[in-house]
Each structure stands twice: as C-alpha cells, then as structure tokens.
Amino acid sequence: MTQTHELSPESVLPLLQTQRYGRSLRYLDETGSTNDDAKRDAASRAPDGHVVVADTQQTGRGSHGRTWSSPQGTDLYFSIVDRPSVAFAELPPLTLAVGLGVAEAVETLLATATSNPVCRVKWPNDVWLGGKKCAGILIEANAAGTELDSLVIGIGLNVNRASFPDELATTATSLYAAQPGEGLIDRKRALCVVLAAVERWVDRFVSEGARSVTQALEARLALLGQKARCGDVVGKVLGVSPSGALRMQTTAGVREVIAGRLTSLP
Ligand code: BTN
C-alpha cells in the first residue's frame, strides 16, 4: 500500500480553512522550483488559489538571483496562483501583504503566545524571527498583453530545520530552532495556517487598498527607527509608503526607495 505524504491533498485538505488558497493542490515529492510549476499550471488555466507544494526543490529561487536552500522533509516550499483584479502599478505592496500574513501565521504556530509581535517583516520580502530570516517571498507576475493575468506567490518557510549551511548559519532560523525544546511542527498544519493568513491579507489588500497593509506593517516592520543601507541610500528607516516604497531619513532629506536589499548598519 502506498503511504500518503503529509503534504499531499488527502492530508492537507481536511485541515484547510481558506476560501480559495489550496482548494486545488498539487503535491510533488521533488521539483526544480514550485514557482515554475505554478507558472505552468497558471498558463494551463489552473483555478484561482491553486497551490503547488513540494517536499524538496533542486533549483529553488530567491530574489536578486539567489538560490533558496530547500532540503527534503523539513520545511515548506510552495507557490500560490492568484488572479487579483489589481493593475501592475499597484502590485508592489502586495509582497508586504503576503509578508504580514506569513508573520501572523508564524506567531500562531509558535508554541508560546506573546502579546508583542516577535515576527517581523523585513522590507520588501523577508520574514524575521528573533532578528533572523525564517521565510522569504518571491512573487512573479504573468502578463496578458498589458494586463495582469496571474501572480505566482512563492513562499519558503523554514519550519523544522535544525541547522543551516555555514553561509546561512548567522542569518537564518526556523520555527523549530527558534523555540528549543518545543519539538517538531506539523508541516501540514503550518501550510494551512500560512495559506489562511496570506489569503486574508491579500484579499484585504485587494478590497481595502495598500494603506490597510502599510498601516498594519508599522507594528511589524523590521529595522524601524534604525540605521540601515538600501543600495546607495543610507539613513534611518521611517516606514513604508502606500506605494510600497521604503521611506528613509537621510542627511539630504526623506528618500523613498523602491527596490534593493536592506541591511542594518551599526
Ligand atoms: C527570498 O527570500 O529571496 C525569496 C525566497 C522564495 C523561496 C520560495 S520556496 C517556494 C518558491 N519556489 C521558489 O523557487 N522560490 C519560492
């Protein structure tokens, strides 16, 4: 008898509390990148909310051309197909909406509840736990002419990884590593909790607009009030504007940064 995998539709669907996300679910033991799979499924008219989840990725992608370490059996690697009615120009804050959802979900999954946010969104696409990265988001858009056809929202969440390769050891963490002694986290439950929270925030972004996202972000923005660098801009992080740009106080005044990698400075 073949054994059902913990991330297969038979295991996940009974726990799902979403309207759209994951109702159509494709599980793969192994793949290159779930973003590529989801992109192909979107082109074949997969339903809105379709999810591809894999147990391991051989060529998992991150932003800025980096790879996403995706070992087998420990973490979550998945991509959501969404078809929001949003114009291309309005898309940038959507990554932050997804980040808010992932951060909320991570707090739900941690064993100890806290009233202060312990999970932060690091502009534009990282989720931090205790000052280290526990999740990354990679959103890719598929166009139909000048219009948006679909989005692929790729999420990598370090769930049960106990150790990281040398190059990630000082900057990365997992839910398991962040709460020693609490044991492993059920990945199918983690997937369902993340899908529900991300769906809620994306729907809120679409129905209420970017300001609902950027306002909620104020309580969760990593490096807020601290000195940081983004590209050639150095200054204090002030917040995020409704366009999704990062606001920084520099010696030459307030600058709005639309892309780049944010790093903290002493
Ligand atoms: C980043 O932090 O740079 C973004 C990382 C995104 C990784 C996820 S894992 C699932 C999906 N498939 C990919 O190839 N990338 C995303």
Side-chain angles (χ1 to χ4, degrees), residues 192-212:
C192 292
V193 170
V194 176
L195 287 174
V198 171
E199 180 184 83
R200 210 166 41 241
W201 271 108
V202 170
D203 285 353
R204 199 163 161 198
F205 167 72
V206 173
S207 63
E208 294 175 25
R211 216 169 271 275
S212 62

PDB file of all heavy atoms in Angstrom, residues 192-212:
ATOM      1  N   CYS A 192      -1.481  25.032   6.208  1.00  0.00           N
ATOM      2  CA  CYS A 192      -2.864  25.525   6.259  1.00  0.00           C
ATOM      3  C   CYS A 192      -2.954  26.871   6.982  1.00  0.00           C
ATOM      4  O   CYS A 192      -3.694  27.761   6.558  1.00  0.00           O
ATOM      5  CB  CYS A 192      -3.771  24.497   6.940  1.00  0.00           C
ATOM      6  SG  CYS A 192      -3.968  23.015   5.947  1.00  0.00           S
ATOM      7  N   VAL A 193      -2.189  27.021   8.060  1.00  0.00           N
ATOM      8  CA  VAL A 193      -2.222  28.285   8.818  1.00  0.00           C
ATOM      9  C   VAL A 193      -1.654  29.421   7.959  1.00  0.00           C
ATOM     10  O   VAL A 193      -2.210  30.520   7.910  1.00  0.00           O
ATOM     11  CB  VAL A 193      -1.443  28.127  10.152  1.00  0.00           C
ATOM     12  CG1 VAL A 193      -1.248  29.459  10.843  1.00  0.00           C
ATOM     13  CG2 VAL A 193      -2.185  27.161  11.081  1.00  0.00           C
ATOM     14  N   VAL A 194      -0.566  29.136   7.237  1.00  0.00           N
ATOM     15  CA  VAL A 194       0.028  30.186   6.388  1.00  0.00           C
ATOM     16  C   VAL A 194      -0.922  30.529   5.239  1.00  0.00           C
ATOM     17  O   VAL A 194      -1.150  31.715   4.944  1.00  0.00           O
ATOM     18  CB  VAL A 194       1.410  29.747   5.832  1.00  0.00           C
ATOM     19  CG1 VAL A 194       1.953  30.809   4.876  1.00  0.00           C
ATOM     20  CG2 VAL A 194       2.407  29.515   6.963  1.00  0.00           C
ATOM     21  N   LEU A 195      -1.496  29.522   4.589  1.00  0.00           N
ATOM     22  CA  LEU A 195      -2.398  29.806   3.462  1.00  0.00           C
ATOM     23  C   LEU A 195      -3.572  30.677   3.913  1.00  0.00           C
ATOM     24  O   LEU A 195      -3.956  31.624   3.222  1.00  0.00           O
ATOM     25  CB  LEU A 195      -2.920  28.503   2.837  1.00  0.00           C
ATOM     26  CG  LEU A 195      -1.908  27.695   2.011  1.00  0.00           C
ATOM     27  CD1 LEU A 195      -2.527  26.365   1.574  1.00  0.00           C
ATOM     28  CD2 LEU A 195      -1.435  28.484   0.791  1.00  0.00           C
ATOM     29  N   ALA A 196      -4.131  30.375   5.088  1.00  0.00           N
ATOM     30  CA  ALA A 196      -5.296  31.149   5.562  1.00  0.00           C
ATOM     31  C   ALA A 196      -4.902  32.595   5.847  1.00  0.00           C
ATOM     32  O   ALA A 196      -5.610  33.539   5.467  1.00  0.00           O
ATOM     33  CB  ALA A 196      -5.881  30.490   6.811  1.00  0.00           C
ATOM     34  N   ALA A 197      -3.755  32.801   6.501  1.00  0.00           N
ATOM     35  CA  ALA A 197      -3.355  34.167   6.867  1.00  0.00           C
ATOM     36  C   ALA A 197      -2.960  34.969   5.624  1.00  0.00           C
ATOM     37  O   ALA A 197      -3.288  36.160   5.509  1.00  0.00           O
ATOM     38  CB  ALA A 197      -2.207  34.118   7.867  1.00  0.00           C
ATOM     39  N   VAL A 198      -2.286  34.327   4.685  1.00  0.00           N
ATOM     40  CA  VAL A 198      -1.873  35.050   3.471  1.00  0.00           C
ATOM     41  C   VAL A 198      -3.107  35.393   2.624  1.00  0.00           C
ATOM     42  O   VAL A 198      -3.238  36.512   2.111  1.00  0.00           O
ATOM     43  CB  VAL A 198      -0.832  34.237   2.669  1.00  0.00           C
ATOM     44  CG1 VAL A 198      -0.568  34.874   1.313  1.00  0.00           C
ATOM     45  CG2 VAL A 198       0.468  34.132   3.461  1.00  0.00           C
ATOM     46  N   GLU A 199      -4.037  34.448   2.512  1.00  0.00           N
ATOM     47  CA  GLU A 199      -5.264  34.738   1.753  1.00  0.00           C
ATOM     48  C   GLU A 199      -6.002  35.938   2.356  1.00  0.00           C
ATOM     49  O   GLU A 199      -6.465  36.832   1.642  1.00  0.00           O
ATOM     50  CB  GLU A 199      -6.177  33.500   1.742  1.00  0.00           C
ATOM     51  CG  GLU A 199      -7.474  33.726   0.973  1.00  0.00           C
ATOM     52  CD  GLU A 199      -8.406  32.524   1.052  1.00  0.00           C
ATOM     53  OE1 GLU A 199      -9.149  32.392   2.055  1.00  0.00           O
ATOM     54  OE2 GLU A 199      -8.392  31.710   0.125  1.00  0.00           O
ATOM     55  N   ARG A 200      -6.090  35.951   3.696  1.00  0.00           N
ATOM     56  CA  ARG A 200      -6.783  37.052   4.387  1.00  0.00           C
ATOM     57  C   ARG A 200      -6.129  38.396   4.053  1.00  0.00           C
ATOM     58  O   ARG A 200      -6.799  39.357   3.711  1.00  0.00           O
ATOM     59  CB  ARG A 200      -6.714  36.786   5.893  1.00  0.00           C
ATOM     60  CG  ARG A 200      -7.859  37.328   6.685  1.00  0.00           C
ATOM     61  CD  ARG A 200      -7.953  36.773   8.093  1.00  0.00           C
ATOM     62  NE  ARG A 200      -6.710  36.625   8.810  1.00  0.00           N
ATOM     63  CZ  ARG A 200      -6.221  35.481   9.256  1.00  0.00           C
ATOM     64  NH1 ARG A 200      -6.860  34.348   9.014  1.00  0.00           N
ATOM     65  NH2 ARG A 200      -5.082  35.442   9.930  1.00  0.00           N
ATOM     66  N   TRP A 201      -4.789  38.458   4.097  1.00  0.00           N
ATOM     67  CA  TRP A 201      -4.107  39.728   3.857  1.00  0.00           C
ATOM     68  C   TRP A 201      -4.133  40.134   2.388  1.00  0.00           C
ATOM     69  O   TRP A 201      -4.246  41.317   2.071  1.00  0.00           O
ATOM     70  CB  TRP A 201      -2.682  39.693   4.413  1.00  0.00           C
ATOM     71  CG  TRP A 201      -2.693  40.152   5.840  1.00  0.00           C
ATOM     72  CD1 TRP A 201      -2.508  39.394   6.950  1.00  0.00           C
ATOM     73  CD2 TRP A 201      -2.958  41.484   6.303  1.00  0.00           C
ATOM     74  NE1 TRP A 201      -2.641  40.170   8.079  1.00  0.00           N
ATOM     75  CE2 TRP A 201      -2.908  41.457   7.715  1.00  0.00           C
ATOM     76  CE3 TRP A 201      -3.240  42.686   5.681  1.00  0.00           C
ATOM     77  CZ2 TRP A 201      -3.130  42.591   8.498  1.00  0.00           C
ATOM     78  CZ3 TRP A 201      -3.464  43.821   6.459  1.00  0.00           C
ATOM     79  CH2 TRP A 201      -3.406  43.765   7.850  1.00  0.00           C
ATOM     80  N   VAL A 202      -4.036  39.168   1.483  1.00  0.00           N
ATOM     81  CA  VAL A 202      -4.102  39.527   0.055  1.00  0.00           C
ATOM     82  C   VAL A 202      -5.508  40.037  -0.270  1.00  0.00           C
ATOM     83  O   VAL A 202      -5.678  41.058  -0.951  1.00  0.00           O
ATOM     84  CB  VAL A 202      -3.703  38.322  -0.840  1.00  0.00           C
ATOM     85  CG1 VAL A 202      -4.008  38.617  -2.305  1.00  0.00           C
ATOM     86  CG2 VAL A 202      -2.225  38.002  -0.666  1.00  0.00           C
ATOM     87  N   ASP A 203      -6.533  39.364   0.255  1.00  0.00           N
ATOM     88  CA  ASP A 203      -7.906  39.811  -0.001  1.00  0.00           C
ATOM     89  C   ASP A 203      -8.132  41.209   0.587  1.00  0.00           C
ATOM     90  O   ASP A 203      -8.812  42.042  -0.009  1.00  0.00           O
ATOM     91  CB  ASP A 203      -8.919  38.818   0.593  1.00  0.00           C
ATOM     92  CG  ASP A 203      -9.015  37.549  -0.250  1.00  0.00           C
ATOM     93  OD1 ASP A 203      -8.401  37.505  -1.339  1.00  0.00           O
ATOM     94  OD2 ASP A 203      -9.688  36.594   0.181  1.00  0.00           O
ATOM     95  N   ARG A 204      -7.544  41.457   1.735  1.00  0.00           N
ATOM     96  CA  ARG A 204      -7.696  42.779   2.362  1.00  0.00           C
ATOM     97  C   ARG A 204      -6.998  43.854   1.522  1.00  0.00           C
ATOM     98  O   ARG A 204      -7.527  44.951   1.336  1.00  0.00           O
ATOM     99  CB  ARG A 204      -7.084  42.725   3.771  1.00  0.00           C
ATOM    100  CG  ARG A 204      -7.592  43.819   4.604  1.00  0.00           C
ATOM    101  CD  ARG A 204      -7.382  43.611   6.062  1.00  0.00           C
ATOM    102  NE  ARG A 204      -7.510  44.918   6.678  1.00  0.00           N
ATOM    103  CZ  ARG A 204      -7.071  45.231   7.859  1.00  0.00           C
ATOM    104  NH1 ARG A 204      -6.491  44.335   8.613  1.00  0.00           N
ATOM    105  NH2 ARG A 204      -7.228  46.447   8.325  1.00  0.00           N
ATOM    106  N   PHE A 205      -5.841  43.507   1.003  1.00  0.00           N
ATOM    107  CA  PHE A 205      -5.118  44.441   0.138  1.00  0.00           C
ATOM    108  C   PHE A 205      -5.966  44.783  -1.092  1.00  0.00           C
ATOM    109  O   PHE A 205      -6.092  45.943  -1.483  1.00  0.00           O
ATOM    110  CB  PHE A 205      -3.786  43.809  -0.286  1.00  0.00           C
ATOM    111  CG  PHE A 205      -3.088  44.527  -1.402  1.00  0.00           C
ATOM    112  CD1 PHE A 205      -2.484  45.760  -1.192  1.00  0.00           C
ATOM    113  CD2 PHE A 205      -3.039  43.980  -2.673  1.00  0.00           C
ATOM    114  CE1 PHE A 205      -1.844  46.433  -2.231  1.00  0.00           C
ATOM    115  CE2 PHE A 205      -2.399  44.640  -3.707  1.00  0.00           C
ATOM    116  CZ  PHE A 205      -1.803  45.860  -3.485  1.00  0.00           C
ATOM    117  N   VAL A 206      -6.595  43.772  -1.688  1.00  0.00           N
ATOM    118  CA  VAL A 206      -7.383  43.994  -2.902  1.00  0.00           C
ATOM    119  C   VAL A 206      -8.650  44.791  -2.581  1.00  0.00           C
ATOM    120  O   VAL A 206      -9.012  45.718  -3.295  1.00  0.00           O
ATOM    121  CB  VAL A 206      -7.730  42.643  -3.587  1.00  0.00           C
ATOM    122  CG1 VAL A 206      -8.692  42.847  -4.752  1.00  0.00           C
ATOM    123  CG2 VAL A 206      -6.459  41.942  -4.055  1.00  0.00           C
ATOM    124  N   SER A 207      -9.321  44.471  -1.458  1.00  0.00           N
ATOM    125  CA  SER A 207     -10.601  45.134  -1.194  1.00  0.00           C
ATOM    126  C   SER A 207     -10.442  46.498  -0.515  1.00  0.00           C
ATOM    127  O   SER A 207     -11.203  47.417  -0.786  1.00  0.00           O
ATOM    128  CB  SER A 207     -11.527  44.231  -0.371  1.00  0.00           C
ATOM    129  OG  SER A 207     -10.938  43.988   0.885  1.00  0.00           O
ATOM    130  N   GLU A 208      -9.412  46.651   0.352  1.00  0.00           N
ATOM    131  CA  GLU A 208      -9.297  47.915   1.113  1.00  0.00           C
ATOM    132  C   GLU A 208      -8.160  48.801   0.622  1.00  0.00           C
ATOM    133  O   GLU A 208      -8.061  49.947   1.028  1.00  0.00           O
ATOM    134  CB  GLU A 208      -9.066  47.606   2.601  1.00  0.00           C
ATOM    135  CG  GLU A 208     -10.254  46.929   3.246  1.00  0.00           C
ATOM    136  CD  GLU A 208      -9.952  46.531   4.690  1.00  0.00           C
ATOM    137  OE1 GLU A 208      -9.079  47.141   5.332  1.00  0.00           O
ATOM    138  OE2 GLU A 208     -10.599  45.583   5.155  1.00  0.00           O
ATOM    139  N   GLY A 209      -7.264  48.249  -0.165  1.00  0.00           N
ATOM    140  CA  GLY A 209      -6.163  49.065  -0.685  1.00  0.00           C
ATOM    141  C   GLY A 209      -4.894  48.935   0.135  1.00  0.00           C
ATOM    142  O   GLY A 209      -4.872  48.354   1.223  1.00  0.00           O
ATOM    143  N   ALA A 210      -3.833  49.535  -0.409  1.00  0.00           N
ATOM    144  CA  ALA A 210      -2.490  49.361   0.158  1.00  0.00           C
ATOM    145  C   ALA A 210      -2.352  49.955   1.547  1.00  0.00           C
ATOM    146  O   ALA A 210      -1.560  49.487   2.359  1.00  0.00           O
ATOM    147  CB  ALA A 210      -1.472  50.000  -0.771  1.00  0.00           C
ATOM    148  N   ARG A 211      -3.149  51.020   1.828  1.00  0.00           N
ATOM    149  CA  ARG A 211      -2.963  51.694   3.114  1.00  0.00           C
ATOM    150  C   ARG A 211      -3.248  50.752   4.293  1.00  0.00           C
ATOM    151  O   ARG A 211      -2.605  50.845   5.340  1.00  0.00           O
ATOM    152  CB  ARG A 211      -3.879  52.930   3.188  1.00  0.00           C
ATOM    153  CG  ARG A 211      -3.242  54.079   3.918  1.00  0.00           C
ATOM    154  CD  ARG A 211      -4.066  55.348   3.739  1.00  0.00           C
ATOM    155  NE  ARG A 211      -3.672  56.105   2.576  1.00  0.00           N
ATOM    156  CZ  ARG A 211      -2.676  56.995   2.557  1.00  0.00           C
ATOM    157  NH1 ARG A 211      -1.955  57.182   3.644  1.00  0.00           N
ATOM    158  NH2 ARG A 211      -2.396  57.663   1.477  1.00  0.00           N
ATOM    159  N   SER A 212      -4.208  49.841   4.128  1.00  0.00           N
ATOM    160  CA  SER A 212      -4.509  48.888   5.222  1.00  0.00           C
ATOM    161  C   SER A 212      -3.278  48.028   5.519  1.00  0.00           C
ATOM    162  O   SER A 212      -3.005  47.670   6.664  1.00  0.00           O
ATOM    163  CB  SER A 212      -5.695  47.995   4.846  1.00  0.00           C
ATOM    164  OG  SER A 212      -5.388  47.226   3.706  1.00  0.00           O
TER     165      SER A 212
END
